[in-house]
Amino acid sequence: MLALSLLFVWTIPRAAWSAEPEGLVLVEAEAFDSLGGWVVDQQFMDLMGSPYLLAHGLGVPTADATTGVELPAAGRYRVWVRTRDWVAPWNAPGAPGRFELLVDGEPIGQFGDDGAAWHWQDGGPAELPQRFELSLHDLTGFDGRCDAVLFARDPDYQPPHGGAALAGLRAGLLGWDTAPRDGGAYDLVVVGGGIAGTSAAITAARLGLSVALVQDRPVLGGNGSSEVRVWPEGQTNLEPYPRVGDVVSELVRPKGPGDGNAKNAAVYDDRRKLDLARAEPNLTLLLEQRVNDATLAGGRVRSVVAQHIRSGRRTALRARWFLDSTGDGVLGALVGADYEVTREGHMGMSNLWNVGDVQQNEHELRCLCEDDDPLSLAFTAAETPQPFPRCPWAVDLSDKPFPGRETHTGQWGSRKNPLENLGGWFWESGYNKHPIDDAEWVRDLNLRAMYGAWDTLKNVDGRYPNHRLKWAAYIAGKRESRRLMGDVVLDADHFRQKTEWPDAAFPCTWQIDLHLPDPRYSDVSDPDAFIAQASHHVDKVNFRYKGPYWAPYRCLYSRNVDNLFMAGRDISVTHEGLGPVRVMRTCGMMGEVVGMAASVCKRHGCDPRAVYEEHLDELIELLKRGAGNDADDDQAARAAGVIK
């Protein structure tokens, strides 16, 4: 018997949704019973209305996503699928995101081959049984995407393509117009589970606060997780506060041989981060939940609402203090916190990727790939040669240079092995695009550049016959977007001039590292530029300083929302000031400081600003003590005179 996804299959009682005809059934793709080889992509749900399923097969069609559906009755329905042709914004041919919709294994239409924008693609009428298995059948392996499927009894019904009308349709059909469930009250709600947010949550929980940590992915670590695979950089545990960084060091081991960007999944040790968070009795972990609503009253955040990215369930969380560690300043923007965005000439986004070879021996086929990568398992019965299809819709690099096509002597990874120059940090785009509103466009340009480069190497240059695309991030690694403004706005000149602060709280050791298009590969104004250069490599005078530089606590709370902290790349800095603070181990130390400051707030019933104005001495004592697992033991030893 088929399992039915009843949570997302609703007929509309006329009394509940009188503006729409009866007989509409909406099936959300992200809520399918089995995702097969498709993945849930929530990155752009605040823009296009919902998470969606992505067929991220790297050129190999993914396994079907399936779910059970129950209609009001058998009969003739008009079928609509919300999707898009993801390369259409570039007027590129080929529609690589094609997929079929199957009913009990039989195709009823092809989708993903029309329209640059998200819209309902008309599948026409179909005779359907009352109960059936619905499947998304990927045809290409090249990032087809499906948001939802709608069945309409009325053949003339036209669903709204977006905006408030579509939001209202979803709300009525899926029950999102009802009040969210009560998720409880906490001392601190942390929104965003990267290294910064996770460090803050663990620190605050260890210092006695009740904490909720909300993360919109199934893993913690953000850019430092196996989903993005950027190795966390920055020095921790430095004088005069050598215990600042203890929690970060528990989350991220010291960098060793084989560690770095775009390595195998195990390098990023997602389990380590999850286990540390789950070990804290004062910490409630809410994974796969995205904060997309909040209430503000009297200049204070009162609550946030988190939506589960698969079930759509909405949960309200109340707290005395909140931390925005989303990177994008999501919570700050929701509650009207002052922020800045550099509209043009900002740092871009990367989707890291790597390749590997497949070798045949007399006993078995050996795949040089992650053991935990489901896509890799598809190659265990493959022949050694690894063909790759032509990609006329990708960036055409057939007559252009790019890192990895030749051996470089520049700033990129390996000078000896060109393959190690493929998919590194410098594969970056979106410098002149809006870092939030245009984020899907930027991610997709990164994918087009990757596919174009691999197509060129395999099919134009005839190289690497036994290699394949092994892994590519579909979750983008962002560097810069919103920056929430605090009482101090940190700038690069503070680093250059060695400005000292009475509330110096976390050390910065990364250089003033800003990225712009590399002029060797494109004009700096080219919207499709996808190779970056780093400012401190080009200008070793103006973009370097002698560290460590201790940055002030006052850039970690909002100047106009009384109970809002920040940690991570959305803290109070200028565009240039972001360069040296944005690396993850540094961001994690910001989180530790916020956790400590929140404990001072609880002790005195005050807000973040008062920690600086009235209780700075207590924060400094906590900086000396740290929040590592052995902090209490060391504190007792110091009191006994054992440790000086």
Side-chain angles (χ1 to χ4, degrees):
M1 179 179 293
L2 294 177
L4 298 177
S5 293
L6 295 179
L7 180 63
F8 274 96
V9 182
W10 292 67
T11 57
I12 311 174
R14 186 174 295 275
W17 197 247
S18 57
E20 301 292 341
E22 293 180 352
L24 290 183
V25 175
L26 177 63
V27 184
E28 286 283 339
E30 68 273 13
F32 270 36
D33 298 330
S34 171
L35 301 184
W38 297 63
V39 293
V40 177
D41 190 342
Q42 92 307 334
Q43 298 170 91
F44 320 111
M45 60 184 282
D46 300 336
L47 301 172
M48 50 75 66
S50 172
Y52 60 82
L53 288 191
L54 183 74
H56 189 56
L58 304 181
V60 178
T62 63
D64 292 357
T66 61
T67 198
V69 174
E70 182 175 7
L71 301 177
R76 191 174 182 84
Y77 289 78
R78 191 169 180 178
V79 181
W80 299 90
V81 176
R82 193 161 189 257
T83 184
R84 59 188 292 254
D85 175 5
W86 67 271
V87 302
W90 292 274
N91 295 314
R98 303 184 306 280
F99 63 95
E100 290 179 326
L101 197 66
L102 310 183
V103 170
D104 288 336
E106 295 297 322
I108 62 170
Q110 178 175 289
F111 301 90
D113 53 3
D114 176 63
W118 281 99
H119 68 291
W120 291 102
Q121 188 171 350
D122 188 359
E127 290 289 337
L128 300 175
Q130 184 175 12
R131 294 188 177 200
F132 54 88
E133 182 180 68
L134 182 68
S135 302
L136 302 179
H137 179 65
D138 178 28
L139 295 174
T140 69
F142 286 119
D143 299 286
R145 51 204 71 181
C146 178
D147 170 17
V149 181
L150 182 68
F151 300 97
R153 290 299 296 268
D154 181 355
D156 297 323
Y157 176 74
Q158 299 279 331
H161 290 295
L166 177 58
L169 177 66
R170 284 191 202 273
L173 289 172
L174 305 177
W176 296 353
D177 54 351
T178 60
R181 74 178 187 93
D182 183 6
Y186 300 85
D187 293 322
L188 177 68
V189 168
V190 177
V191 182
I195 300 297
T198 305
S199 297
I202 290 173
T203 299
R206 289 178 179 175
L207 294 175
L209 280 71
S210 59
V211 181
L213 173 57
V214 188
Q215 164 71 338
D216 63 1
R217 297 300 303 169
V219 296
L220 297 172
N223 285 352
S225 73
S226 66
E227 293 192 319
V228 185
R229 304 192 189 182
V230 177
W231 183 261
E233 298 285 3
Q235 297 178 36
T236 59
N237 303 100
L238 302 175
E239 295 289 351
Y241 306 125
R243 302 309 301 268
V244 173
D246 282 1
V247 175
V248 177
S249 296
E250 293 177 42
L251 289 167
V252 182
R253 69 173 185 273
K255 189 174 185 179
D259 293 337
N261 295 338
K263 303 298 183 180
N264 288 347
V267 167
Y268 307 92
D269 205 350
D270 293 337
R271 178 56 57 186
R272 177 189 185 113
K273 304 175 187 71
L274 288 169
D275 286 348
L276 280 167
R278 287 169 172 158
E280 296 301 326
N282 292 332
L283 196 161
T284 300
L285 183 59
L286 295 90
L287 295 174
E288 296 185 284
Q289 301 194 47
R290 184 177 182 90
V291 167
N292 55 14
D293 196 8
T295 59
L296 182 80
R300 303 176 61 81
V301 187
R302 300 296 179 177
S303 66
V304 296
V305 176
Q307 178 181 332
H308 196 282
I309 65 170
R310 290 205 62 197
S311 72
R313 182 185 65 244
R314 298 164 67 242
T315 302
L317 305 168
R318 292 164 284 123
R320 298 177 68 183
W321 302 280
F322 292 81
L323 166 61
D324 188 327
S325 47
T326 61
D328 280 342
V330 171
L331 176 56
L334 286 171
V335 298
D338 292 343
Y339 69 85
E340 292 181 355
V341 174
T342 299
R343 300 286 177 165
E344 295 183 353
H346 56 76
M347 289 182 281
M349 293 163 34
S350 291
N351 290 80
L352 304 182
W353 51 284
N354 60 33
V355 302
D357 67 327
V358 180
Q359 300 177 5
Q360 181 80 49
N361 61 37
E362 61 180 309
H363 299 294
E364 62 178 352
L365 183 70
R366 180 166 59 88
C367 252
L368 301 180
C369 54
E370 298 92 331
D371 291 336
D372 59 350
D373 180 1
L375 180 62
S376 300
L377 302 180
F379 289 89
T380 57
E383 296 296 330
T384 301
Q386 298 294 305
F388 188 74
R390 297 307 310 268
C391 302
W393 41 266
V395 177
D396 184 2
L397 298 175
S398 58
D399 60 351
K400 297 179 177 65
F402 54 85
R405 194 174 194 184
E406 68 274 35
T407 301
H408 285 268
T409 57
Q411 57 181 280
W412 303 278
S414 170
R415 299 183 182 185
K416 296 180 180 179
N417 182 3
L419 281 176
E420 294 185 17
N421 289 326
L422 295 172
W425 64 262
F426 37 85
W427 290 73
E428 174 183 347
S429 66
Y431 315 92
N432 296 314
K433 288 289 187 176
H434 194 285
I436 296 171
D437 295 348
D438 296 323
E440 188 175 17
W441 185 98
V442 177
R443 190 277 305 273
D444 290 346
L445 175 58
N446 286 339
L447 296 179
R448 290 182 65 240
M450 173 187 70
Y451 291 130
W454 195 235
D455 180 15
T456 295
L457 290 171
K458 295 278 282 187
N459 299 315
V460 177
D461 296 352
R463 303 190 66 185
Y464 312 117
N466 298 333
H467 285 68
R468 64 175 180 86
L469 288 173
K470 186 170 72 170
W471 170 83
Y474 65 93
I475 302 293
K478 287 189 174 183
R479 294 177 176 85
E480 181 175 4
S481 51
R482 295 188 188 99
R483 306 183 304 277
L484 304 176
M485 297 293 100
D487 283 350
V488 169
V489 181
L490 198 62
D491 183 63
D493 281 343
H494 293 130
F495 291 80
R496 297 179 182 117
Q497 298 164 9
K498 303 179 182 178
T499 304
E500 296 184 359
W501 309 94
D503 55 334
F506 60 94
C508 305
T509 55
W510 203 245
Q511 294 303 318
I512 304 170
D513 182 15
L514 306 174
H515 295 184
L516 287 172
D518 190 323
R520 289 174 292 182
Y521 297 97
S522 63
D523 187 271
V524 294
S525 63
D526 183 355
D528 289 342
F530 63 88
I531 299 295
Q533 65 178 8
S535 58
H536 67 286
H537 290 154
V538 177
D539 185 343
K540 297 184 179 182
V541 175
N542 292 313
F543 291 92
R544 290 181 180 266
Y545 67 96
K546 185 176 181 180
Y549 179 81
W550 283 81
Y553 161 71
R554 281 171 290 168
C555 62
L556 302 181
Y557 62 84
S558 171
R559 69 188 183 193
N560 71 308
V561 178
D562 293 341
N563 63 337
L564 180 63
F565 289 103
M566 301 93 74
R569 60 181 176 81
D570 61 2
I571 68 167
S572 181
V573 292
T574 64
H575 164 67
E576 282 200 346
L578 180 62
V581 307
R582 63 184 176 81
V583 291
M584 281 179 278
R585 292 181 73 96
T586 302
C587 292
M589 290 186 289
M590 300 175 200
E592 291 183 29
V593 174
V594 165
M596 296 173 191
S599 75
V600 176
C601 289
K602 182 176 181 179
R603 184 177 305 120
H604 295 283
C606 67
D607 285 330
R609 181 176 287 112
V611 174
Y612 170 73
E613 293 178 344
E614 303 172 22
H615 308 291
L616 183 57
D617 57 337
E618 293 185 38
L619 177 60
I620 290 173
E621 284 303 311
L622 287 170
L623 296 176
K624 294 176 180 178
R625 174 181 171 181
N629 266 327
D630 60 351
D632 290 335
D633 294 339
D634 281 3
Q635 185 74 3
R638 287 189 182 93
V642 177
I643 299 177
K644 300 298 185 182

